[in-house]
Amino acid sequence: MRDILDIDRLMDGYSLYLTLEKGASENTRDGYTRDVRRFLSWLASDSSGVGSLRDVTTEVLRLYLGDLNDVGIALRSRARIVASLRSFFGWLFMEDYIATNPGELLESPRLGLHLPEVLTVEEIDSMIASIDYSKEECQRDRAMMEVLYGCGLRVSELVTLEISRLFPQEGFLIVRGKGDKERMVPMSDTSIEEIDAWMTDRARLKVKPGDENILFLNRRGGRLTRQRAFQIVKGLAEAAGIRKNISPHTLRHSFATHLLEGGANLRAIQQMLGHESIATTQIYIHLDASALRSDILAYHPRNRRKDS
């Protein structure tokens, strides 16, 4: 487990994560980091009775929210603070600063359902079509896009994906997800073809020691960072003229939504995504229901009569 030594350096890392991986706006990033710093100040006070980030539990977070309620912090502000804390502790857990995530079970005040951005199949195709084939890394980017969308991987899983965990003949790969847990994920024929083509290009690189088994590399032969993967996806969206707030996670959301729309079982999607709880996966039911409602409103005879 990584040491938590310098809070300022820790916050710099979290701020960079919000900007580059989550695609947060400047206002969102500043709001989240401000909320977290206020919590850290409270944690260091006598009110918490804890003092250390590693000792924070869900009950400690609830105690903090109770204090905010007692001093009259508005419901909407408390909802944002919950989002900030869940994001921060999720990042700490992902980066191996803490062994468990106390924010995972933290309830948020109900202010209405927020649905993540989802790309259409046509938008994903247009992003892949916008790849600049004059660049050396064009085939790598094609393979990355197909794996992100075709396998529903998290960006952290993408950049640590190992060649020895690919089984193209059998049509699946093994990925190490959150909590160092492994899962088997089917690969599409397109993903297999694009990876195979990338392996030909990859063989020309001088690979850095220690990264010989890493699938996706940069021009210098080192493993890609999550930040660079975010920049690639964001750049392809801009090149394709897509105005949505896009990140690698958008492709994961799109993967799950398209599976559900195609009739996949929710439990199967849960296993593919590596969600611990089915409740996490159920957001995609709401996404599918929104599309269904649009179809009903467009074609239902009563609605059409009103339009006419």
Side-chain angles (χ1 to χ4, degrees):
M1 189 175 298
R2 297 171 66 179
D3 291 332
I4 302 174
L5 300 175
D6 188 333
I7 292 297
D8 286 334
R9 182 175 295 179
L10 192 74
M11 292 305 298
D12 286 344
Y14 175 59
S15 179
L16 194 64
Y17 159 79
L18 290 174
T19 302
L20 295 182
E21 185 165 331
K22 302 303 290 183
S25 67
E26 183 177 354
N27 287 339
T28 299
R29 183 195 65 213
D30 291 346
Y32 273 36
T33 53
R34 184 168 56 248
D35 289 341
V36 171
R37 285 190 178 278
R38 286 174 179 168
F39 169 74
L40 294 176
S41 297
W42 176 87
L43 195 65
S45 71
D46 294 335
S47 302
S48 70
V50 179
S52 169
L53 270 175
R54 291 213 173 99
D55 296 328
V56 172
T57 63
T58 305
E59 289 306 315
V60 171
L61 295 177
R62 287 171 180 158
L63 176 64
Y64 175 62
L65 294 172
D67 282 0
L68 296 179
N69 181 57
D70 291 343
V71 298
I73 300 298
L75 182 67
R76 186 168 294 277
S77 295
R78 295 204 310 273
R80 191 203 64 231
I81 291 167
V82 168
S84 302
L85 294 175
R86 291 181 68 173
S87 168
F88 177 63
F89 280 97
W91 175 75
L92 289 178
F93 177 70
M94 181 177 65
E95 292 293 327
D96 201 32
Y97 284 110
I98 54 177
T100 58
N101 179 5
E104 193 169 22
L105 298 178
L106 194 62
E107 303 89 357
S108 180
R110 290 190 173 275
L111 296 174
L113 182 67
H114 171 70
L115 302 180
E117 291 276 21
V118 174
L119 294 167
T120 65
V121 176
E122 291 75 20
E123 285 174 327
I124 291 169
D125 287 343
S126 68
M127 287 176 66
I128 295 173
S130 70
I131 292 172
D132 186 349
Y133 286 89
S134 67
K135 294 184 177 180
E136 296 177 6
E137 62 271 22
C138 64
Q139 185 54 51
R140 179 204 64 192
D141 293 351
R142 282 185 65 91
M144 279 178 51
M145 286 289 294
E146 290 294 346
V147 171
L148 278 171
Y149 173 60
C151 300
L153 301 192
R154 300 178 178 96
V155 67
S156 56
E157 296 167 347
L158 176 87
V159 297
T160 57
L161 188 58
E162 297 177 338
I163 297 171
S164 61
R165 300 301 182 95
L166 303 177
F167 300 91
Q169 296 297 324
E170 293 80 5
F172 69 88
L173 57 83
I174 296 176
V175 65
R176 184 176 289 109
K178 289 184 177 180
D180 214 30
K181 294 182 179 179
E182 294 185 342
R183 69 182 188 276
M184 186 182 297
V185 180
M187 300 170 66
S188 68
D189 291 341
T190 304
S191 298
I192 294 171
E193 291 170 3
E194 297 298 348
I195 289 174
D196 185 59
W198 158 238
M199 289 298 293
T200 301
D201 291 352
R202 186 187 181 282
R204 303 188 187 102
L205 296 174
K206 183 178 180 181
V207 182
K208 289 186 176 180
D211 290 339
E212 293 87 355
N213 197 28
I214 298 297
L215 177 60
F216 292 111
L217 304 175
N218 58 33
R219 292 182 182 182
R220 298 177 297 280
R223 68 179 66 197
L224 282 180
T225 63
R226 293 196 310 273
Q227 291 86 353
R228 181 57 188 144
F230 171 86
Q231 291 169 349
I232 291 169
V233 172
K234 191 83 170 176
L236 292 178
E238 291 174 355
I242 298 171
R243 299 180 182 274
K244 297 175 181 177
N245 187 20
I246 302 300
S247 73
H249 216 67
T250 310
L251 296 171
R252 180 171 159 87
H253 284 312
S254 304
F255 160 83
T257 303
H258 296 165
L259 277 180
L260 186 65
E261 290 173 347
N265 181 276
L266 197 63
R267 288 288 180 185
I269 298 174
Q270 178 191 6
Q271 292 177 354
M272 290 276 284
L273 294 175
H275 286 162
E276 286 289 328
S277 170
I278 192 68
T280 310
T281 316
Q282 283 175 336
I283 181 65
Y284 299 106
I285 292 179
H286 299 298
L287 287 167
D288 192 45
S290 297
L292 180 62
R293 182 178 183 275
S294 297
D295 287 343
I296 290 172
L297 291 179
Y299 297 108
H300 195 282
R302 286 192 181 274
N303 194 62
R304 286 165 60 189
R305 189 179 303 137
K306 183 186 294 186
D307 291 342
S308 61

